[in-house]
Amino acid sequence: MENVAVRIRNLSKTYTNGGKTTKALKNINLDIKEGEILGVLGPNGAGKTTLINILATLLIPDKGTINAFGIDVLKEANKFREIIGYAGQDSEKSAYYRLTAFETLIYFAYTFRDVKKGDIEREIKYISKKIGFSRKLNSEFSTLSGGEKQALIIMRVLVHKPRLCFLDEPSKSLDPVTAKKFRAFLKDFVRKEKITTIVTTHNMSEAEEICDRIVLINKGKIKFIGTPLEFKNIMNYTDKITLDTRLNKLLIAKLKKIPSIVKIKKTTKSTVIYTNKVNLSLLALTSILKNEKLEPKMTVKSATVEDAFVKVMGNGK
Amino acid sequence: MANKIKEMFKVFKMALWMNVTLLRRYNSNFIFWVIYAAANAILMLLFIPLYSASISSIGTKSIISFILIGAAMLPLLQETVSSVSGEASFQMWSGIINYSFTTPVSRYIYFSLNSMSEVIISLVIYSPIYLIAIIFAFNYLTPLGLLLSVICFIIGFLGMLQLGFMLGAAMLLFRRVEALDSIINLVITFLSGAFIPLQVLPSSVNYAALFVPLTSSLYLVRYYLVGSSLIAPPYLMWAITIGELIVFALIARFIFKAAEKKAEKIGFNYI
Ligand SMILES: Nc1ncnc2c1ncn2[C@@H]1O[C@H](COP(=O)(O)OP(=O)(O)OP(=O)(O)O)[C@@H](O)[C@H]1O
Ligand SMILES: [Mg+2]
């Protein structure tokens, strides 16, 4: 797990289009570990797709180096292409409309990859069963729904088992149930096949669920690299307790003395208590409220990756 | 080298497989194409009286063969040019060109062989007309003449493909070049000799027409099949035919390379 699969150094990319320049990536340094699932997160226009497209040899950076499994990616792109799989952000149309799903997978695998007939057919059947695609295999590509097209495009990447795969928002048009199935399968499959996977997403819980590590990009710069847990720990609280009433100053002062409470915020109609030990805080809080004969409605919510995201991005501005 | 050839073979085989699969599934279109091809031949045969009037300058032994060869080659060329540029715009619009960019298969090989497989089907559609032309020329035909005419036909066809690739590559580079397609079609219609026999036109027009791909190969095909007259000695016509094939292939490759370079800077989605 600990070997570095891809080493990215000083990577920068500027787009010049119609006289306007956009700095999409600014001096990115990143090591991707062999076998890991790395999530790339960040707001719209952060540079995620640019990064993926450079890694997938679609774009040439202004400067920087990329070394993957001993291959100098920018100089030996064609050698590198033999071991990668790619599903771009706008690739849901990238197939021949009148071929069936099955034919599409066969066609692309044979044409572009060194695969054996029997292997690939077995793999197609296996994967479609796992993600619930089997009954669509004989449907024409044009008749597939948006999410089904997307699923097919992802399958196209996985059937030939690349060593390194790049998925740009793979679950974007999948419904929640399919997305869940897909995530479970993806995690399982790339582990089993030892496929190093780089995936971009806007879905924080998805990142939390499947990624070994996440990279946060904002305005072309890396803001954070680490495990989802480390990411969550950026927050100094683990849970938020919300009371549907505004507590008075005296009570707030009392609560602030409880060591497990880190912060209290009042809004127009409620009081939010941030804690790093939810059980202790709740005990103390209920006894204080009882003394005051108060019975506000209480909701407890754990800190999410989203919260950390907002925090990191907030600092970035 | 061996690997490249293996790769080309595989890409072509798969493209052909796809086209045949689709042809079998949607065979009505194939039937319409056959009707179109036949209509082309029949309509051009209506001009027999016109051709007969100038038979001395055309110098052909069979007017019917002479006309049918043109009827087989002109629409074949038109389809080649437009189906290759159609393939280019489809690959760009669908994003297939992006996907193929991330695989070890050369994009140019993929693009050109894929287009070629599509055109092969047109070739199948138009070859019966060519066959009928051979039948009408049978009395005058020598085995060597037949062989040479077939070779010229193939070289001419490959030249047409290069012209198509040129237009397709230009489409990748400039995005919209439909007008170029029309210009090529216009020039080919009037100056290839397929429709209007060049033999009846002033020789200055003939020399100019030699710059139009297909003209020289069409001249040669007819020369070997039915002994129609040439504008220049055969060896020169051969040189022009083969030279054009090479030059067009190089130009197409060059434009494609330029498009690739541009794409690597800003992405194929945006060029
Ligand atoms: N071809 C291009 N020409 C000019 N600017 C571009 C081009 N492609 C991307 N950009 C700009 O570069 C920046 C990064 O874009 P990119 O597509 O990498 O963002 P992203 O993080 O993938 O966003 P999203 O979440 O919306 O997919 C944006 O400001 C975008 O407008
Ligand atoms: Mg993106």
Side-chain angles (χ1 to χ4, degrees):
Chain A
M1 267 300 255
E2 286 313 305
N3 290 338
V4 173
V6 187
R7 198 183 298 273
I8 302 166
R9 290 291 176 268
N10 307 318
L11 199 70
S12 296
K13 174 75 189 173
T14 311
Y15 290 108
T16 313
N17 222 352
K20 254 185 63 192
T21 58
T22 313
K23 273 190 169 295
L25 291 178
K26 301 169 190 160
N27 219 38
I28 298 283
N29 286 291
L30 176 64
D31 284 346
I32 301 168
K33 294 175 194 164
E34 188 168 355
E36 80 172 331
I37 305 181
L38 179 73
V40 181
L41 298 156
N44 294 128
K48 304 179 295 295
T49 298
T50 306
L51 179 64
I52 292 254
N53 284 354
I54 291 176
L55 290 174
T57 72
L58 281 168
L59 288 173
I60 300 279
D62 314 337
K63 71 180 189 69
T65 56
I66 306 166
N67 192 292
F69 297 105
I71 301 170
D72 182 337
V73 173
L74 300 176
K75 294 209 175 90
E76 307 168 276
N78 239 11
K79 196 166 161 203
F80 183 57
R81 287 176 176 135
E82 279 169 23
I83 59 167
I84 64 171
Y86 167 81
Q89 187 167 8
D90 317 299
S91 35
E92 70 272 9
K93 298 189 306 240
S94 66
Y96 292 94
Y97 272 51
R98 299 277 168 228
L99 288 183
T100 67
F102 185 73
E103 286 163 352
T104 302
L105 293 170
I106 293 275
Y107 173 77
F108 281 98
Y110 283 171
T111 306
F112 291 108
R113 306 290 171 181
D114 242 340
V115 290
K116 287 201 192 73
K117 193 172 153 80
D119 291 353
I120 212 78
E121 285 181 6
R122 196 164 345 103
E123 214 55 52
I124 293 173
K125 290 197 176 119
Y126 170 77
I127 296 179
S128 20
K129 202 165 150 197
K130 283 280 181 180
I131 62 169
F133 195 83
S134 298
R135 60 188 188 88
K136 285 288 165 191
L137 276 179
N138 287 323
S139 305
E140 251 181 39
F141 185 76
S142 61
T143 67
L144 297 179
S145 73
E148 287 160 355
K149 286 194 183 97
Q150 178 68 12
L152 185 72
I153 296 303
I154 305 297
M155 283 168 72
R156 176 171 74 184
V157 177
L158 298 177
V159 285
H160 66 87
K161 299 179 188 165
R163 256 183 105 180
L164 198 60
C165 98
F166 304 105
L167 307 173
D168 202 349
E169 297 192 27
S171 56
K172 69 171 173 198
S173 36
L174 304 182
D175 69 73
V177 177
T178 309
K180 203 172 164 60
K181 244 192 226 167
F182 164 73
R183 282 199 285 271
F185 165 74
L186 183 70
K187 194 170 171 176
D188 221 53
F189 188 80
V190 298
R191 282 259 184 290
K192 197 179 84 200
E193 303 294 342
K194 301 191 174 59
I195 301 172
T196 308
T197 306
I198 293 91
V199 48
T200 73
T201 176
H202 285 294
N203 183 337
M204 298 299 152
S205 48
E206 171 168 291
E208 201 175 355
E209 195 179 325
I210 64 170
C211 298
D212 298 305
R213 290 195 307 154
I214 55 180
V215 175
L216 222 79
I217 301 183
N218 194 19
K219 296 181 183 158
K221 283 191 185 145
I222 293 186
K223 293 286 168 197
F224 171 88
I225 310 177
T227 63
L229 193 68
E230 284 167 356
F231 187 53
K232 254 169 127 171
N233 287 346
I234 290 180
M235 317 299 292
N236 51 3
Y237 66 92
T238 57
D239 297 85
K240 270 195 295 202
I241 306 166
T242 308
L243 310 178
D244 69 342
T245 174
R246 279 170 68 92
L247 299 178
N248 62 37
K249 277 198 177 121
L250 221 76
L251 270 177
I252 299 256
K254 248 188 203 171
L255 287 173
K256 276 192 171 155
K257 291 207 182 93
I258 302 168
S260 60
I261 290 179
V262 274
K263 195 169 74 180
I264 299 176
K265 243 165 86 182
K266 279 205 280 191
T267 69
T268 42
K269 276 188 201 140
S270 64
T271 311
V272 188
I273 300 161
Y274 295 84
T275 162
N276 53 23
K277 288 203 181 70
V278 66
N279 290 350
L280 292 182
S281 301
L282 277 174
L283 272 176
L285 181 63
T286 37
S287 82
I288 289 171
L289 290 173
K290 208 168 185 182
N291 283 345
E292 301 289 327
K293 302 214 162 42
L294 285 173
E295 286 180 359
K297 205 176 146 224
M298 247 189 259
T299 48
V300 180
K301 248 181 100 181
S302 296
T304 61
V305 187
E306 276 95 339
D307 299 322
F309 185 78
V310 171
K311 185 170 173 183
V312 172
M313 289 309 167
N315 288 346
K317 284 201 174 125
Chain B
M1 189 65 194
N3 271 346
K4 265 274 171 289
I5 292 173
K6 220 176 113 191
E7 175 181 303
M8 287 170 73
F9 181 74
K10 197 174 69 173
V11 170
F12 187 62
K13 189 182 93 177
M14 286 313 292
L16 211 54
W17 169 79
M18 171 167 66
N19 277 313
V20 171
T21 304
L22 296 182
L23 196 67
R24 285 170 54 184
R25 194 167 301 148
Y26 295 97
N27 48 21
S28 53
N29 199 38
F30 183 74
I31 294 166
F32 293 139
W33 275 125
V34 172
I35 293 173
Y36 173 72
N40 246 297
I42 293 166
L43 285 175
M44 274 178 76
L45 286 176
L46 294 181
F47 291 91
I48 289 180
L50 258 172
Y51 285 82
S52 306
S54 37
I55 190 135
S56 57
S57 34
I58 296 174
T60 183
K61 291 180 185 121
S62 162
I63 283 286
I64 292 181
S65 303
F66 185 90
I67 293 174
L68 286 180
I69 294 164
M73 286 188 84
L74 180 61
L76 183 57
L77 172 69
Q78 285 164 336
E79 258 149 60
T80 303
V81 172
S82 44
S83 74
V84 175
S85 62
E87 176 73 25
S89 69
F90 174 72
Q91 284 199 22
M92 201 159 60
W93 169 83
S94 65
I96 289 177
I97 197 145
N98 261 341
Y99 177 81
S100 68
F101 223 88
T102 64
T103 74
V105 170
S106 139
R107 270 77 51 212
Y108 187 65
I109 288 182
Y110 182 68
F111 163 70
S112 50
L113 293 185
N114 230 54
S115 317
M116 186 159 145
S117 79
E118 215 165 286
V119 175
I120 288 280
I121 290 174
S122 316
L123 190 63
V124 169
I125 293 170
Y126 288 101
S127 50
I129 300 179
Y130 187 68
L131 257 165
I132 296 171
I134 292 175
I135 292 171
F136 275 97
F138 209 74
N139 288 338
Y140 331 100
L141 209 56
T142 60
L144 183 69
L146 180 62
L147 180 71
L148 289 175
S149 86
V150 171
I151 291 174
C152 289
F153 183 85
I154 291 170
I155 297 175
F157 175 66
L158 292 177
M160 301 176 197
L161 262 179
Q162 299 311 323
L163 194 68
F165 296 162
M166 253 171 67
L167 191 69
M171 184 157 267
L172 294 180
L173 190 59
F174 305 116
R175 291 238 108 167
R176 301 200 54 179
V177 292
E178 293 89 338
L180 266 184
D181 191 357
S182 303
I183 292 173
I184 292 175
N185 264 326
L186 186 72
V187 172
I188 299 282
T189 307
F190 287 100
L191 290 183
S192 65
F195 188 48
I196 301 163
L198 291 174
Q199 284 89 339
V200 303
L201 298 177
S203 53
S204 54
V205 176
N206 268 276
Y207 289 124
L210 285 181
F211 289 100
V212 179
L214 183 67
T215 307
S216 56
S217 67
L218 192 57
Y219 255 119
L220 283 173
V221 171
R222 283 168 164 166
Y223 171 73
Y224 288 118
L225 215 56
V226 285
S228 56
S229 55
L230 291 177
I231 177 94
Y235 74 89
L236 201 60
M237 300 299 276
W238 274 92
I240 292 171
T241 308
I242 294 171
E244 266 171 356
L245 170 63
I246 294 169
V247 169
F248 282 114
L250 289 177
I251 295 177
R253 189 79 189 93
F254 177 80
I255 302 178
F256 199 85
K257 269 245 155 70
E260 275 190 327
K261 271 259 146 12
K262 196 173 166 196
E264 283 176 343
K265 287 214 180 77
I266 52 172
F268 255 126
N269 318 42
Y270 310 100
I271 69 169

